Amino acid sequence: MSSSSGQPQFRYTQTPSKVLHLRNLPWECTEEELVELCKPFGKIVNTKCNVGANRNQAFVEYADLNQAISMVSYYASSSEPAQVRGKTVYIQYSNRQEIVNNKSTGDVAGNVLLVTIEGVEAGDVSIDVIHLVFSAFGFVHKIATFEKAAGFQALIQFTDAETASAARNALDGRSIPRYLLPEHVASCHLRISYSAHTDLNIKFQSHRSRDYTNPYLPVNPSAIEGTLQPTVGADGKKKEPESNVLLASIENMQYAVTVDVLHTVFSAFGTVQKIAIFEKNGGMQALIQYPDVTTAAVAKEALEGHCIYDGGYCKLHLSYSRHTDLNVKAHSDKSRDYTITDVGILSVPQSCASGWPSVVQPASVVYNSRGISDGGLSAQPVWDANQQGQGIRPGGYNQPGVPGAYSGQTYGTSAVPPYSLSGTIIPSTSAGLIQASQQMPPPPYAIQPGGARQAPSAGQPPFYF
DNA sequence: AGCACA
């Protein structure tokens, strides 16, 4: 096989290329020096330096062919040769049209991970779920998601390479827990490599990208809606934007629906953080807050139209609230804040309780101890708090972590397995969610008509109880 | 001083 596949290289007949080949460089030449030399002629999109046995060659790729031509032309007629550290550098077009560097992506540990989520479409995995999963290893600064030929991908920026590699080592090849995903997703493996990026440039908070370090970053108004649901339903009716907080209206309320009852019902799908009950238009409504949109979406889907009690009593109608963080009394007959009564729930969402590889168990979990609202596992976007003028409540479940407070903690001791009640959720409006065997017999209706308390309407923050 | 190697 000695057929000459490569054309002979004639000095003056090389075809131009965006890629330039530089030789006679000092062996210790850095990429910075290379860029310094070449950037006056155009935008450099890639480099490869210290090439060859003597490490004295390099490649530079311009964004545009004309930029490469201008550099070659310039030095072809210049009286001063191109130099690096006093050495003359010889420049010519490369015989390749682009630089392919396999080393800088995937192998070199950086603080930004490139995550390919296999087997899903972009709408299947929300950015909140990604944030939740990767926050287990440290503060996630930024996330950018996009779709490429490889599939749905995300860039996830950590503080440093150590944190990033901990996440990579733990999660590469693993799957996102099923209960964090829509039902139709069969499997969802993560393929993780290092990105060459060190700092992502996030322009907007949106369903595709987040900057958790900058609560004042503008929200892209056309892109804040969740990705799990279309914004227009099958009937052409507009759907409200998704939220981690559900608004429940309770119809045919023959029996009292207490905070405890709601907690029992809604905990089947994930950690319930807060509940508030109020009257509206003579009926009863409740707000149920989950840590993330996905959990709320799952609960909404599963519970909509079902009855808490057999016989068609206390039928639930669910929609998304515009609230993202309820401001409720920790313990009253109309509200409950479960995040401050149980530190375990506060720091470790139940959504990590099962179905998750043991490598993500708390021994490897390092929470940052900074007082930033989303330093923990909160899927609460900071920008929501900002937008609603609610400020970040230091006493809430976003309470800054006490160093070491989480170590040795075990996941899920109080966790209800996801979908554990699903057996009782039968697609029939007469099937009650709470069975007699659960020792919660229907108590008599006990809500005083025309509630004494004036409750703000569900869409209007702030919301105090 | 003359083209990268998975």
Side-chain angles (χ1 to χ4, degrees), chain A residues 18 38-46 60-64 67:
Chain A
K18 290 183 300 182
C38 301
K39 79 177 179 191
F41 301 93
K43 184 182 181 188
I44 298 161
V45 296
N46 209 348
V60 170
E61 180 178 342
Y62 284 100
D64 187 72
Q67 298 164 346

Side-chain angles (χ1 to χ4, degrees), chain A residues 112-413:
Chain A
V112 178
L113 294 179
L114 172 63
V115 179
T116 303
I117 306 173
E118 298 177 343
V120 302
E121 298 182 2
D124 293 337
V125 183
S126 74
I127 210 161
D128 292 321
V129 164
I130 296 171
H131 184 238
L132 180 75
V133 166
F134 282 85
S135 289
F137 302 90
F139 180 58
V140 172
H141 290 233
K142 302 175 183 178
I143 298 177
T145 65
F146 48 90
E147 282 185 282
K148 279 281 185 66
F152 184 43
Q153 294 189 307
L155 289 166
I156 299 169
Q157 179 175 339
F158 286 100
T159 303
D160 49 41
E162 287 67 38
T163 315
S165 75
R168 191 191 109 119
N169 291 337
L171 298 179
D172 189 20
R174 307 265 180 188
S175 296
I176 292 176
R178 291 281 292 276
Y179 57 87
L180 291 175
L181 301 169
E183 282 181 26
H184 69 269
V185 176
S187 73
C188 157
H189 290 289
L190 302 173
R191 296 294 168 203
I192 305 178
S193 60
Y194 295 105
S195 165
H197 290 95
T198 56
D199 190 19
L200 304 177
N201 184 11
I202 307 292
K203 297 282 205 318
F204 295 103
Q205 310 285 17
S206 78
H207 67 296
R208 307 180 45 139
S209 64
R210 296 286 167 81
D211 181 345
Y212 299 95
T213 68
N214 182 5
Y216 302 109
L217 195 64
V219 175
N220 184 351
S222 65
I224 56 173
E225 289 181 347
T227 57
L228 288 178
Q229 302 275 341
T231 53
V232 175
D235 53 359
K237 228 176 70 179
K238 266 198 184 157
K239 291 191 177 181
E240 64 277 305
E242 292 189 311
S243 166
N244 61 315
V245 178
L246 294 178
L247 172 66
S249 314
I250 300 162
E251 177 189 306
N252 191 18
M253 213 173 71
Q254 291 293 306
Y255 305 107
V257 175
T258 64
V259 170
D260 289 327
V261 167
L262 290 173
H263 186 257
T264 300
V265 170
F266 283 84
S267 288
F269 307 94
T271 303
V272 172
Q273 293 182 320
K274 302 175 185 179
I275 293 177
I277 297 176
F278 57 96
E279 300 239 359
K280 176 140 185 220
N281 303 331
M284 187 183 143
Q285 299 192 336
L287 292 166
I288 297 97
Q289 176 176 336
Y290 286 109
D292 54 79
V293 172
T294 301
T295 311
V298 170
K300 179 176 181 289
E301 187 67 24
L303 292 176
E304 170 58 31
H306 291 281
C307 298
I308 297 177
Y309 297 110
D310 283 330
Y313 301 128
C314 305
K315 186 173 177 180
L316 292 169
H317 291 287
L318 299 170
S319 60
Y320 293 111
S321 168
R322 281 165 48 191
H323 294 279
T324 56
D325 190 15
L326 305 176
N327 196 348
V328 299
K329 271 193 197 144
H331 192 99
S332 83
D333 60 341
K334 291 285 180 282
S335 68
R336 203 67 46 91
D337 184 342
Y338 300 93
T339 67
I340 61 175
T341 55
D342 184 338
V343 173
I345 291 176
L346 172 145
S347 61
V348 182
Q350 170 185 328
S351 49
C352 288
S354 65
W356 194 239
S358 59
V359 290
V360 201
Q361 295 299 307
S364 66
V365 173
V366 181
Y367 289 97
N368 69 317
S369 55
R370 67 178 73 195
I372 302 290
S373 67
D374 58 348
L377 280 168
S378 161
Q380 174 80 44
V382 246
W383 47 271
D384 278 345
N386 179 47
Q387 275 224 314
Q388 305 202 358
Q390 283 189 333
I392 295 162
R393 303 187 312 115
Y397 80 104
N398 289 327
Q399 192 169 21
V402 178
Y406 304 118
S407 59
Q409 214 163 48
T410 344
Y411 275 93
T413 48

Side-chain angles (χ1 to χ4, degrees), chain A residues 29-107:
Chain A
C29 175
T30 65
E31 186 183 29
E32 287 73 25
E33 288 171 305
L34 194 63
V35 169
E36 278 303 308
L37 176 69
C38 301
K39 79 177 179 191
F41 301 93
K43 184 182 181 188
I44 298 161
V45 296
N46 209 348
T47 65
K48 193 180 188 72
C49 57
N50 307 119
V51 169
N54 296 326
R55 302 175 60 81
N56 58 358
Q57 300 173 48
F59 297 89
V60 170
E61 180 178 342
Y62 284 100
D64 187 72
L65 177 62
N66 289 328
Q67 298 164 346
I69 292 174
S70 73
M71 183 172 189
V72 170
S73 307
Y74 176 83
Y75 284 114
S77 59
S78 169
S79 55
E80 292 287 322
Q83 290 188 324
V84 169
R85 301 193 190 199
K87 281 192 76 176
T88 295
V89 176
Y90 300 89
I91 302 166
Q92 59 187 159
Y93 300 115
S94 171
N95 53 23
R96 302 196 197 180
Q97 291 302 311
E98 58 180 291
I99 294 177
V100 286
N101 29 6
N102 35 23
K103 277 230 175 83
S104 61
T105 54
D107 275 352

